[in-house]
Amino acid sequence: MSNEPWTTRIARSRVWRSYFRHGWPDNPLDRSLVMTSGLFFHLHSVKSSRKSLRWSYSMGLGIMIVALFLILLFTGTLLMFYYIPSVEQAYPTMKEIQTAIPLGQFTRDMHRWAAQLMVLAVILHAARVFYTGAYKPPREFNWIIGVFLLLITLGASFTGYLLPWDQLSYWAITVGTNIAGYAPGIGDIVRALLLGGREVGQNALIRFYTLHIMVFPLLLIGIISYHLWRVRKDGGLAAQDADLGVDGDPSEAEATLVADTEQTASSGQPEIFPKNTSKTYGLVELMRGGSPMVGRGPEDTVFSFPVVLLLELALFLGTSLLLFVLSLLRHAPLGEIANPLVTVDPAKAPWYFVGLQELLEHMHPALAGILIPGILVIFLLTIPYLDNDRFGAGRWFTSTRGKRIALWTALYTAVVMPIYILLDNFIVPREILRGVAPEYVSQWLIPIVIIGVLVALPVLALRRWRPTPRETMLALFTVMFVAAVIFTLSGLLFRGPGFKLYWPWNMPGGYNPLSDL
Amino acid sequence: MPEERFQAFVPDFDYYRSLVACQFACPVGTDARGYVTAIARGEYEQAYRIAREVNPFASTCGWVCGAPCEAACRRGKIDSPVAIRALKRFVDDRYGVFWGEESDLPPLPWREQSPAGQSYTGVTIGLDLGNSDLPHGLRQLRRATDRREHTGKRVAVVGSGPAGLTCAHDLALLGHDVVIFEAASAPGGMLRLGVPEYRLPRDLIDLEIASILALGPELRLNQALGRDFSLADLRAEFDAVFLGIGTYQGRQLNVEGEELDGVLRAVDFLLNVNLGGYNLDLGRKVLVIGGGNVAMDVARTALRVGSPHSEASGDISLALDVARTAVRLGATEEVHCLVVEDRGEMLADPYEVQEAENEGVIIHNHVAPRRIRGQNGRAVAVETLDVARTFDDEGRFNPQLIEDTQRTWGCDSVIVSIGQTGELGWVQPEDGLEVTRRGTVAMDRKTLATTAPGVYVGGDIAFGPRLIINAVADGQRAARNMHIYLQKVEPRAVRKGWMTTIDLHDYPTRGPVPGYLRHPSKRPPEIPVDRRIGVSQVELAFSERDARVQGERCLVCTVNPVFDGDLCILCNGCVDVCPTDCLRLTPVDQVTGNETLAAVVEARLGTPLAAFHQGQMTQATAMLFDPTLCIRCALCAQRCPTDAITMETFRFSERIILEPEVSA
C-alpha cells in the first residue's frame, strides 16, 4: 500500500522484523515494547516521571558522568595503543602521541579534560544528591555506593596523573603519596605499597598504570552499573517523592502541583488515576507488605521513548562538544621529563587534592592528610543513617527553611575559612609556640579546636530553632562542602612558589597557577 | 481535611460481564466480540451462527441495526469503534438468509414470486466460544422443542413486526401453536413500512420472515385489531396473546394548516412509499419538519421519490434510467429539513445527518414552524420563527422563539416527522388493559405482562419508538414469560462464570490479533452520491480483506489480566510497562470502597481497612485496575518476573431453568 507512512513500511520490512519484535514506536504499545525488548533501552523504565526529568532537579549530572566515563574509556583505549609504561619510554611515547600521531594531541586533550570534568561532575552530583535529600530511605545504600564511586573516581584520576612522566606529574604524585605516608603507624607501608619502593620510579609507574587502565575502570564499570540498577530498584529518582509527604512549605508544593495539573489539562489528556472522583477502579489483588516501587505512577509519567533517550543523547553530545571546545582551547600540559633531582616549585598535587595540601600548611600532616579526610568520608557514609527520615526527599533543600540554612551556612563558611587561612598564615602558631609549648599543641590541639569550633558554631546556633536531623545535616554538609571549595581555591590559585600566599595574577617568577590543570 | 483516596470496588461476575461492553450493550446479548473475532480468523460461518443464535433477525440487524454495541465498544475510546454491524452484514451475506444455503421456502402469500435468495437452514448450534450460552439462545430453545411434545397451547401474536415475529419464533420453538395477525397486506411491520428500501432490501425481510414461518407459526394478513377482531375475541380463542402492534400515529405539530392537502405524516409517507412504490408525487420542493433519524430517512426517501418502484431493486443501471425519466417527469428537486434543535442537539446520529447532507438534503437548524399556509386547500408554504434556545435550564424541551424573525418557506408538500404514538382506539373497558398517557400499553417492565392476564406486550407499543433490536429483545422476553405463564413453571436463573488462562505462547493466536492497534477504522463502502437513486442500496458490504482487518481491530474484552498476590514481588514492572496506564500499585491505606471491599481487605490481609486508614504500621499494597483503559496487550503478563499475572478469558452462561411450580 503506497499511502502508508514510510515508517510503517520500514517496520514491516524483513530486515527490521528480523531484529525488532515490535512496530515503529509511534504509539503507546510499541513505545512500551521498544523499551523492554532492546538491550540498551531496557536499562530504562518504560515510563519516566515528569518530575525526575526536570532539568532543575538532576541537572543531568549522572548521565553526564556516564558520558564522560565512556569518552574516557574510548580515548584511553586509543592512547594505550601508543603509550609504553616504562620510565625510559613513557615520556617519549607521550611526545610521540602529541607530535607524530594523527589526532594524538587531540585524543590526549579529550582524555585529560574528560578526566578533570568527571571528577568535578562526580563531586557536583554528590552535592546535588545531598541537597535534594535523595540519600534518604530507601536510597541509603545507593548513597554509600556513590561515596565509594567518588573515591574510586579520585583514584582513577590520580593514578592517571603520573603516566605522562613529566615534572608536573612526577612531583604531584610525590606530594600526593607523601600525604599517604603521614598515616600514623602504617603510613610508610601504605606509601611503599603504592609506589613499590621508596621513590617514585618504574615500580610506581607500572603500578599506577595497571590500576589506571584495568583495576579502576573495571571497578567503575561494575559499580556504576550497580549504582544505576539500584536507582531503578529504589524507585527511580527521588523527585517523584516530593509530594508524597506534607512539604515543609505546602504553598510552594501546591503551586507545583497545580502547575502540573494544568499541564495535563492543557494537553487534552484525561487525568490518569484521579482520586476522590466518581471514577472507580477494580481492586484486582492485595499483597502484604510494600516496596519502594509501590505508588510509582502511572500518573504524571511520560513514555521514556523517545524523550529520555533524546535527553541522554543531548547530554552525551553536549558533553562531547564541551570537551571538543576545551581541547581546542587548551592542550593538556606536558612539561620537562621527570627529574627526581630537580624539584619544581611550587609542587602541587592534582587540583582535587590541593585542598588537602592547603590543609597541610595549617596542621600536622597526619591530621590534615589522613584524619580529617577520614572523618569526612565517615561523615558522608553515615549521613543517611543519621538522617533516616523519609520525609522531605526529592526537593532541593527540602524546605524554604532548609534553603535558608544552607545559604547562611555557606556564607558563614565562605567568610570564616578564608579568615582562618589568612590569620593562620600570618600569625603562625607553630612559629610563635616553638619552644614554648610541645609540638602537639601547635600542630594538633590548636587546629582541632579552631576547626572544631568553626564547624560546631553553625550547628550550635541552629539549635535555637529546633532543627530536624535533615537541617543539621544541611548545615554540616554545607560547612564541609564550602570549606573544601575554599581550601581548594586557596591551594590552587593563591599558593605560589614556596607554597606561599600571593595574588593569582601577581605570582613571582611568572608562575601561572592555572597551568597545572 | 479527609485524605484523598482511590475509590475501588471488588470485581465480580457482573463486573466481568459488563467489561464485554458490546455484548452488555446489546438488548439480546449478542456476543459481538465472538463473531467479530471469528471474522478476524476467517471463520465466517461460525461468526454468523454466533450472531444468529440469539437473534432471529440477525440478517436484518446486519443491515440496519442501531448498533448499541458500537456505541459501547471500547475501541471507540482509543480511536473509533469496531464496525460491528457492518461486519455482521458481511457474514450475513455469506451465511445469512439473503445469500446463504438453498432451502425449500413455502410460497409467500404476500408475494407473487418467491424471492431469489436462499435461506440459511444449517443447524444453529451454540458454539462454546465464550459467551454464547444465553437463556434465549436458539440452542436452548431447540433443546426445549426436542424435549417437549407440542404443548397444545394456542397463542395469538398481534402484529408481525420484529417484536411479534421474534415472540412467535421463540413460542413456536417452545412447542406452542402460534397464529400471527397482521393488519397490513405484508408482514414485517416497521421493518417494511418504516425502513427505506435503499437501506434494507425487501427480499431480505421476506426471507427472514419466511424462515421464522418455517418453524410453524401461521400468518394471517389484512387482519387488524379493532377492525376485524377484538382483544376479547382473541382471549376467547387463545390461551395467551402478545400485542406487538407498533406505533403508527404521527405526532401532531398543533399548528394552523396541518390538515391541508400536501401535509403528510412521516409514517404515512413511509407507508405510502414502502407499500405503494416511489411513484408518489411530492412536487418539486419538499419541507421535512423534524430532526430525528426518522426525519433523515424521510428526507432521504423524499429525494428519491419520483423514480417508480422497480422489481429489479438492486439493478442500479435500471434504477438510473428510471430516475432520469423521473427527473424529466418532474420529480422532487429540493428537500429542506426544518429542525427546532441546534445542529449539536439533533436527535439523529451525526453520521445520518452527514449522509443526508451529502445526498443534497438542506438542513436548517433553530427554526420552529408556526403556521402552514394553504391555497385552494393545498399547502404552499410554511411560516417559521427563529429559535434562541431549544432547552431550558432544567434540560426540558422548551424552545424560546425570537419575535419578528418570521420566515416563509415555499413548498409543494410538507412531511411532519416529529415522532409517533400508538393507536389505542381498539381498547375496550372490559379488556382490563391499562394504557399510559404516552399512548402505550402499561406493562410490567420485567415480564412484559399487561394488566390483563395472559396478555403480553412488546415493541414500540410498549415502550414507544426504539431500535429494532429492542423489539427483538421484547419478543424474546415476552415469549419466555408467556411460556412460564402457560406451562405454570417456576423460572430459576443459573449464572456461571469461568476464567480460562491463555498461555502466553498462544496469546498471539488466542488474544487480540497482533497489529490490532495499527488498523484504522473503515466504514463499509457506499455507492457515489450521484448514483443513489430510487431503491438502489446506499451501503455496500465490506470486501473480505477489509472485513478481516476490521475484525482484527477487536480488543477482545473477555480477556483480562489476573493477578496472584502470593507471587507478586511489588516490582512495579507491570505498571511501568502498561502502554495505557491502566494499572497502579497503591498502599492499601490510599484505597477506599464499599463494605464488600472492606470485607475482602480484612479477609485477605487480616487487618480491617479502617485500621489501615488510621495509619496502622503494617504495610500492604493493592493493585488497582482501570478496565476502561486496558487494551489487552498482555505486556504486563510478559513483563512479570514471577508469573503473578496471567491473561485469562472470561466465559459465562446465564440460563433460565424452568421447573414445575411447587404447589403450596
Side-chain angles (χ1 to χ4, degrees):
Chain A
M1 291 209 282
S2 57
N3 59 344
E4 62 187 12
W6 58 275
T7 49
T8 315
R9 265 181 283 160
I10 289 177
R12 270 158 43 121
S13 68
R14 271 177 176 280
V15 178
W16 173 281
R17 281 184 295 147
S18 68
Y19 179 69
F20 295 105
R21 299 278 177 261
H22 55 81
W24 193 264
D26 56 1
N27 63 81
L29 182 65
D30 288 316
R31 280 187 182 158
S32 237
L33 281 169
V34 70
M35 294 308 286
T36 50
S37 59
L39 175 67
F40 171 67
F41 286 2
H42 103 286
L43 301 176
H44 303 77
S45 54
V46 172
K47 286 175 255 178
S48 302
S49 142
R50 275 175 205 279
K51 287 182 192 152
S52 56
L53 291 182
R54 261 187 236 153
W55 205 249
S56 59
Y57 178 75
S58 71
M59 296 168 172
L61 285 164
I63 303 293
M64 208 187 285
I65 292 166
V66 174
L68 287 166
F69 182 55
L70 292 176
I71 293 168
L72 281 166
L73 288 181
F74 178 68
T75 51
T77 307
L78 291 181
L79 293 172
M80 276 170 70
F81 288 147
Y82 294 99
Y83 177 77
I84 299 169
S86 86
V87 174
E88 293 78 27
Q89 298 275 14
Y91 188 78
T93 48
M94 288 302 290
K95 273 279 184 219
E96 194 191 345
I97 285 168
Q98 295 200 174
T99 54
I101 312 294
L103 288 176
Q105 174 77 58
F106 182 70
T107 309
R108 194 188 159 215
D109 295 343
M110 289 281 283
H111 194 75
R112 170 115 179 164
W113 278 116
Q116 309 282 39
L117 278 187
M118 181 166 163
V119 174
L120 185 68
V122 167
I123 291 168
L124 292 177
H125 177 62
R128 190 286 286 171
V129 170
F130 174 83
Y131 282 117
T132 54
Y135 58 84
K136 286 162 167 280
R139 298 181 181 80
E140 314 96 301
F141 192 70
N142 221 16
W143 167 264
I144 305 284
I145 299 296
V147 174
F148 282 107
L149 280 173
L150 168 66
L151 298 178
I152 294 169
T153 307
L154 292 177
S157 181
F158 185 65
T159 47
Y161 219 84
L162 179 63
L163 306 189
W165 204 253
D166 62 349
Q167 279 290 68
L168 178 66
S169 61
Y170 181 88
W171 289 105
I173 298 307
T174 306
V175 172
T177 47
N178 277 343
I179 296 176
Y182 287 117
I186 53 163
D188 284 340
I189 300 168
V190 170
R191 191 163 176 275
L193 215 58
L194 273 173
L195 297 180
R198 294 176 152 274
E199 300 296 328
V200 178
Q202 178 61 51
N203 281 348
L205 182 59
I206 202 77
R207 271 171 206 225
F208 275 45
Y209 178 75
T210 311
L211 288 172
H212 185 73
I213 62 115
M214 190 179 76
V215 178
F216 288 132
L218 283 179
L219 280 176
L220 281 174
I221 290 171
I223 301 178
I224 288 177
S225 306
Y226 180 77
H227 194 63
L228 292 174
W229 175 82
R230 186 90 201 192
V231 168
R232 283 193 58 194
K233 291 295 153 186
D234 287 344
L237 266 58
Q240 309 153 68
D241 298 357
D243 64 340
L244 286 182
V246 184
D247 202 278
D249 191 346
S251 62
E252 222 174 292
E254 217 164 284
T256 357
L257 279 181
V258 168
D260 277 358
T261 323
E262 273 167 5
Q263 194 181 350
T264 324
S266 62
S267 66
Q269 298 283 321
E271 198 185 342
I272 296 162
F273 278 94
K275 288 180 186 176
N276 270 8
T277 60
S278 58
K279 188 154 177 63
T280 57
Y281 309 97
L283 177 84
V284 287
E285 188 51 297
L286 288 160
M287 280 73 66
R288 285 172 199 280
S291 86
M293 302 309 296
V294 171
R296 294 269 172 243
E299 65 278 10
D300 213 11
T301 56
V302 289
F303 277 103
S304 304
F305 188 94
V307 181
V308 175
L309 302 167
L310 287 176
L311 277 177
E312 287 177 1
L313 190 68
L315 271 167
F316 186 83
L317 293 179
T319 309
S320 307
L321 186 69
L322 178 65
L323 291 175
F324 265 60
V325 171
L326 285 173
S327 302
L328 293 176
L329 286 178
R330 213 174 113 77
H331 292 313
L334 186 67
E336 294 296 309
I337 188 165
N339 187 350
L341 304 176
V342 181
T343 34
V344 293
D345 187 26
K348 285 193 188 175
W351 67 265
Y352 38 86
F353 285 150
V354 97
L356 289 182
Q357 205 179 346
E358 170 68 47
L359 211 55
L360 279 169
E361 289 296 302
H362 304 278
M363 53 196 79
H364 191 273
L367 182 59
I370 305 297
L371 211 60
I372 288 182
I375 288 170
L376 289 182
V377 169
I378 289 168
F379 168 66
L380 288 176
L381 291 175
T382 49
I383 284 176
Y385 302 97
L386 297 173
D387 169 28
N388 59 5
D389 189 359
R390 282 167 183 270
F391 159 84
R395 253 192 103 203
W396 279 91
F397 309 106
T398 295
S399 63
T400 323
R401 198 165 94 149
K403 200 183 284 178
R404 235 176 274 142
I405 290 169
L407 190 68
W408 281 109
T409 324
L411 278 174
Y412 158 85
T413 317
V415 171
V416 296
M417 288 303 167
I419 293 173
Y420 168 68
I421 292 171
L422 284 171
L423 283 179
D424 196 60
N425 195 60
F426 294 115
I427 314 164
V428 190
R430 193 171 41 199
E431 303 299 329
I432 297 164
L433 294 177
R434 193 187 298 270
V436 179
E439 199 200 42
Y440 71 87
V441 175
S442 62
Q443 288 285 72
W444 287 87
L445 207 57
I446 293 175
I448 287 177
V449 169
I450 292 173
I451 296 285
V453 168
L454 288 180
V455 170
L457 257 176
V459 176
L460 290 173
L462 201 58
R463 287 183 73 105
R464 272 187 56 194
W465 289 282
R466 304 183 150 275
T468 62
R470 166 73 171 151
E471 285 164 346
T472 311
M473 288 302 133
L474 274 170
L476 282 172
F477 186 88
T478 307
V479 171
M480 180 203 84
F481 185 66
V482 177
V485 172
I486 299 287
F487 277 86
T488 304
L489 287 178
S490 167
L492 191 66
L493 299 178
F494 296 90
R495 294 287 176 180
F499 219 70
K500 289 194 167 65
L501 282 176
Y502 297 98
W503 292 114
W505 53 87
N506 199 16
M507 292 284 175
Y511 169 70
N512 178 5
L514 289 171
S515 63
D516 298 348
L517 276 178
Chain B
M1 195 190 88
E3 221 182 305
E4 289 202 333
R5 295 205 169 95
F6 293 102
Q7 304 287 324
F9 61 91
V10 180
D12 56 7
F13 181 93
D14 288 323
Y15 158 80
Y16 284 114
R17 209 180 70 140
S18 68
L19 285 191
V20 191
C22 49
Q23 185 173 21
F24 197 66
C26 181
V28 300
T30 309
D31 186 9
R33 186 269 337 170
Y35 69 71
V36 166
T37 49
I39 291 168
R41 297 189 170 109
E43 298 161 3
Y44 307 132
E45 187 170 359
Q46 251 181 3
Y48 175 70
R49 284 172 177 171
I50 295 168
R52 170 64 184 84
E53 173 153 42
V54 292
N55 182 3
F57 284 99
S59 296
T60 302
C61 284
W63 285 69
V64 291
C65 188
C69 48
E70 290 184 23
C73 178
R74 279 187 205 297
R75 181 74 198 235
K77 295 205 171 67
I78 300 172
D79 40 20
S80 56
V82 176
I84 302 175
R85 182 193 53 74
L87 284 171
K88 175 140 88 182
R89 175 173 163 194
F90 170 76
V91 287
D92 287 341
D93 285 358
R94 279 151 197 262
Y95 294 98
V97 292
F98 208 14
W99 299 116
E101 236 170 273
E102 191 155 4
S103 71
D104 298 323
L105 277 180
L108 304 179
W110 62 93
R111 290 181 64 131
E112 290 165 15
Q113 223 182 323
S114 274
Q118 299 116 358
S119 169
Y120 174 80
T121 52
V123 186
T124 310
I125 48 161
L127 291 147
D128 227 6
L129 279 175
N131 304 335
S132 57
D133 205 10
L134 288 144
H136 34 62
L138 193 58
R139 180 170 59 146
Q140 267 65 42
L141 294 170
R142 274 258 159 80
R143 269 198 204 141
T145 356
D146 292 345
R147 272 201 304 275
R148 265 170 258 267
E149 302 285 303
H150 267 267
T151 59
K153 296 282 180 1
R154 302 195 69 220
V155 184
V157 170
V158 187
S160 65
L165 284 169
T166 305
C167 186
H169 168 267
D170 283 15
L171 286 169
L173 287 168
L174 286 162
H176 304 287
D177 293 325
V178 185
V179 179
I180 306 167
F181 296 89
E182 170 56 52
S185 57
M190 274 295 177
L191 290 183
R192 186 184 303 277
L193 307 177
V195 183
E197 185 162 1
Y198 64 84
R199 288 173 159 272
L200 184 61
R202 270 36 193 167
D203 279 359
L204 179 77
I205 303 177
D206 291 344
L207 285 163
E208 200 120 71
I209 293 171
S211 58
I212 291 171
L213 295 179
L215 294 169
E218 180 194 338
L219 174 67
R220 295 184 191 167
L221 293 170
N222 300 310
Q223 295 284 309
L225 178 63
R227 185 184 73 197
D228 304 307
F229 56 90
S230 68
L231 183 58
D233 298 340
L234 290 180
R235 292 178 73 187
E237 194 188 335
F238 294 94
D239 299 301
V241 179
F242 175 77
L243 299 174
I245 56 175
T247 50
Y248 284 90
Q249 205 168 19
R251 276 187 201 280
Q252 303 270 339
L253 265 178
N254 293 325
V255 299
E256 190 191 326
E258 217 175 343
E259 72 296 335
L260 291 166
D261 273 357
V263 181
L264 295 166
R265 315 248 154 271
V267 180
D268 300 334
F269 167 70
L270 289 170
L271 262 160
N272 252 307
V273 170
N274 290 322
L275 287 178
Y278 280 70
N279 45 6
L280 189 81
D281 188 11
L282 290 173
R284 286 173 183 269
K285 188 172 177 184
V286 180
L287 289 181
V288 176
I289 297 170
N293 278 326
V294 174
M296 293 303 119
D297 276 351
V298 165
R300 291 172 72 183
T301 306
L303 272 179
R304 290 163 166 79
V305 159
S307 60
H309 182 255
S310 159
E311 277 301 315
S313 57
D315 189 337
I316 293 169
S317 58
L318 184 58
L320 271 170
D321 284 348
V322 173
R324 284 191 201 104
T325 322
V327 169
R328 281 197 295 276
L329 289 174
T332 310
E333 282 172 1
E334 257 180 65
V335 176
H336 295 259
C337 240
L338 304 184
V339 185
V340 177
E341 293 92 353
D342 204 359
R343 178 72 180 235
E345 300 164 340
M346 281 172 71
L347 293 170
D349 295 337
Y351 176 72
E352 296 289 337
V353 181
Q354 191 57 52
E355 281 295 287
E357 286 191 324
N358 288 348
E359 292 183 4
V361 176
I362 304 153
I363 292 167
H364 307 275
N365 290 100
H366 265 172
V367 284
R370 305 305 297 154
R371 195 161 82 93
I372 302 173
R373 269 211 319 251
Q375 210 170 31
N376 304 328
R378 195 177 162 81
V380 291
V382 174
E383 287 172 9
T384 62
L385 282 179
D386 286 0
V387 177
R389 56 187 294 203
T390 322
F391 298 94
D392 61 18
D393 289 332
E394 275 95 66
R396 279 183 305 226
F397 183 78
N398 184 14
Q400 286 175 18
L401 304 179
I402 309 168
E403 297 299 325
D404 305 322
T405 54
Q406 189 163 317
R407 279 194 272 178
T408 306
W409 310 76
C411 62
D412 296 313
S413 41
V414 179
I415 307 173
V416 181
S417 176
I418 54 167
Q420 299 109 262
T421 55
E423 202 274 307
L424 294 168
W426 47 268
V427 180
Q428 300 297 319
E430 63 269 23
D431 289 337
L433 206 60
E434 257 181 49
V435 296
T436 67
R437 280 188 300 174
R438 292 167 56 227
T440 59
V441 176
M443 40 80 210
D444 176 350
R445 293 185 87 90
K446 238 176 107 181
T447 62
L448 300 181
T450 62
T451 47
V455 180
Y456 289 77
V457 72
D460 290 354
I461 194 64
F463 295 94
R466 286 183 308 168
L467 301 176
I468 293 167
I469 195 67
N470 290 110
V472 173
D474 287 353
Q476 291 175 340
R477 193 154 15 134
R480 191 161 66 235
N481 287 296
M482 289 165 89
H483 181 72
I484 291 164
Y485 165 81
L486 291 168
Q487 299 303 102
K488 300 194 166 39
V489 286
E490 189 71 16
R492 187 163 61 85
V494 179
R495 311 204 306 170
K496 286 179 190 160
W498 299 269
M499 285 289 199
T500 315
T501 306
I502 303 179
D503 193 284
L504 279 183
H505 296 291
D506 299 336
Y507 201 73
T509 50
R510 298 185 61 193
V513 184
Y516 64 117
L517 286 179
R518 290 200 167 265
H519 303 312
S521 146
K522 199 171 169 183
R523 285 199 149 268
E526 290 170 345
I527 63 167
V529 173
D530 56 355
R531 301 182 77 189
R532 292 184 192 177
I533 287 153
V535 297
S536 55
Q537 300 165 21
V538 168
E539 187 188 289
L540 306 172
F542 275 130
S543 68
E544 177 168 1
R545 187 195 150 92
D546 280 349
R548 289 190 66 162
V549 169
Q550 292 302 306
E552 285 176 9
R553 295 182 70 240
C554 180
L555 300 179
V556 198
C557 301
T558 41
V559 179
N560 285 291
V562 174
F563 299 81
D564 184 343
D566 294 333
L567 296 176
C568 179
I569 53 167
L570 302 174
C571 70
N572 216 38
C574 49
V575 177
D576 179 50
V577 81
C578 178
T580 58
D581 296 328
C582 67
L583 295 171
R584 191 182 203 281
L585 271 176
T586 308
V588 168
D589 55 271
Q590 288 179 24
V591 177
T592 188
N594 60 12
E595 304 85 52
T596 319
L597 181 115
V600 167
V601 169
E602 185 163 2
R604 187 97 171 84
L605 303 173
T607 313
L609 185 60
F612 284 109
H613 287 174
Q614 285 152 17
Q616 165 115 2
M617 285 307 287
T618 32
Q619 261 193 319
T621 307
M623 177 62 85
L624 299 183
F625 177 53
D626 186 346
T628 58
L629 300 174
C630 181
I631 53 168
R632 278 85 199 174
C633 63
L635 286 193
C636 50
Q638 282 168 20
R639 179 90 176 267
C640 182
T642 61
D643 282 348
I645 308 176
T646 45
M647 298 307 285
E648 301 190 6
T649 182
F650 174 70
R651 292 190 305 136
F652 69 94
S653 87
E654 278 187 303
R655 317 178 52 172
I656 291 179
I657 310 251
L658 302 173
E659 290 162 343
E661 221 165 58
V662 187
S663 47

